[in-house]
Amino acid sequence: MEKVDRRVQKTNQSLQLAFKKLAKTTRYRDITVKQLTKTAQINRKTFYLHYDSIDDFSAMIADEISEKILRLILEKPLREGLSVPGFIFDKVFDFFSQSREFYTFMMTSADYSFIGQQVETMVSRGLADAILKEFDLCKLDAYVCASFLIRNTLMLFRIYNDGQVHLDRSEFRDRLIRLNSSGLKSFLDINRNLEN
């Protein structure tokens, strides 16, 4: 595991907090390095030691969110996780509940939706790689399954978060489990694959 210098961690933390603060009131394209570094109370040269631009910085945020989500959904062997109805839902829902304000905003805001799309793509690729390793599927089918799971989970989370549906967590969870289970059934026979 790569060890990160504490000063770098502190700089990144300050920049992320400043970005969170600015994102609440400022359109993405209107955020400048000068504004970000002033809010973070760091030198612009320090920013440029780590990032080339605001776009480079936002890509790091998408990477970080993706890595956290993937770590959570792959914390147990995938066969085992997929055999537990709602395992992925629970992990993603809990993740967003714990970091609700910022991550939810990044994933659901129209102006910042590109970050959500990057996260969705990266998590789908990581999950597809895990599916390929554990199930007898071709690369295309593994990616289709992963994309289906992640897109449904994140899309329904957006709808739920926006108040477009009035369900409690267990009703919401049940619907997502049914959707994902029926959609994956023709690709993955979880019970058969657990026996292998």
Side-chain angles (χ1 to χ4, degrees), residues 1-17:
M1 179 177 258
E2 186 178 315
K3 195 167 187 169
V4 180
D5 183 300
R6 286 187 185 188
R7 291 172 297 176
V8 173
Q9 286 178 333
K10 189 175 183 328
T11 296
N12 282 333
Q13 194 171 41
S14 295
L15 287 168
Q16 285 185 35
L17 289 172

Side-chain angles (χ1 to χ4, degrees), residues 165-176:
V165 293
H166 300 290
L167 304 169
D168 65 29
R169 178 186 168 143
S170 64
E171 293 170 318
F172 175 47
R173 182 181 188 272
D174 177 63
R175 281 171 172 75
L176 187 61

Side-chain angles (χ1 to χ4, degrees), residues 113-190:
S113 65
F114 69 96
I115 292 175
Q117 291 166 350
Q118 289 173 348
V119 168
E120 190 175 298
T121 299
M122 288 186 272
V123 172
S124 292
R125 285 180 185 152
L127 185 56
D129 289 344
I131 289 171
L132 265 176
K133 290 177 186 169
E134 296 219 25
F135 295 95
D136 186 26
L137 291 178
C138 69
K139 191 173 184 174
L140 173 63
D141 287 348
Y143 188 72
V144 167
C145 289
S147 296
F148 181 80
L149 275 170
I150 298 306
R151 177 156 292 183
N152 284 345
T153 302
L154 294 177
M155 185 251 331
L156 286 176
F157 179 76
R158 285 183 199 110
I159 291 170
Y160 177 80
N161 188 63
D162 290 345
Q164 295 177 33
V165 293
H166 300 290
L167 304 169
D168 65 29
R169 178 186 168 143
S170 64
E171 293 170 318
F172 175 47
R173 182 181 188 272
D174 177 63
R175 281 171 172 75
L176 187 61
I177 289 169
R178 289 186 315 178
L179 176 65
N180 285 341
S181 296
S182 64
L184 291 177
K185 192 172 18 178
S186 66
F187 286 94
L188 301 175
D189 181 348
I190 302 299

Side-chain angles (χ1 to χ4, degrees), residues 10-175:
K10 189 175 183 328
T11 296
N12 282 333
Q13 194 171 41
S14 295
L15 287 168
Q16 285 185 35
L17 289 172
F19 188 76
K20 290 175 189 180
K21 183 177 181 180
L22 291 170
K24 291 178 187 176
T25 60
T26 310
R27 291 173 30 93
Y28 177 76
R29 290 290 166 209
D30 294 337
I31 295 177
T32 64
V33 172
K34 180 178 181 179
Q35 187 180 29
L36 181 63
T37 55
K38 182 179 180 185
T39 304
Q41 298 179 342
I42 65 164
N43 188 303
R44 281 174 46 188
K45 288 181 182 179
T46 303
F47 176 88
Y48 286 115
L49 278 173
H50 305 285
Y51 306 102
D52 294 330
S53 63
I54 295 290
D55 290 336
D56 187 33
F57 176 72
S58 70
M60 179 277 303
I61 290 173
D63 288 344
E64 185 178 281
I65 295 170
S66 302
E67 288 171 12
K68 287 178 180 179
I69 292 173
L70 270 173
R71 249 192 328 269
L72 287 171
I73 62 179
L74 298 175
E75 73 182 21
K76 60 169 59 177
L78 189 58
R79 290 174 193 250
E80 188 181 330
L82 289 176
S83 71
V84 176
F87 177 76
I88 290 177
F89 169 85
D90 291 337
K91 293 299 180 181
V92 172
F93 193 94
D94 291 346
F95 171 75
F96 283 110
S97 294
Q98 292 167 6
S99 309
R100 188 168 193 86
E101 191 177 325
F102 178 64
Y103 292 135
T104 301
F105 178 77
M106 288 293 115
M107 297 299 290
T108 60
S109 163
D111 196 42
Y112 292 82
S113 65
F114 69 96
I115 292 175
Q117 291 166 350
Q118 289 173 348
V119 168
E120 190 175 298
T121 299
M122 288 186 272
V123 172
S124 292
R125 285 180 185 152
L127 185 56
D129 289 344
I131 289 171
L132 265 176
K133 290 177 186 169
E134 296 219 25
F135 295 95
D136 186 26
L137 291 178
C138 69
K139 191 173 184 174
L140 173 63
D141 287 348
Y143 188 72
V144 167
C145 289
S147 296
F148 181 80
L149 275 170
I150 298 306
R151 177 156 292 183
N152 284 345
T153 302
L154 294 177
M155 185 251 331
L156 286 176
F157 179 76
R158 285 183 199 110
I159 291 170
Y160 177 80
N161 188 63
D162 290 345
Q164 295 177 33
V165 293
H166 300 290
L167 304 169
D168 65 29
R169 178 186 168 143
S170 64
E171 293 170 318
F172 175 47
R173 182 181 188 272
D174 177 63
R175 281 171 172 75

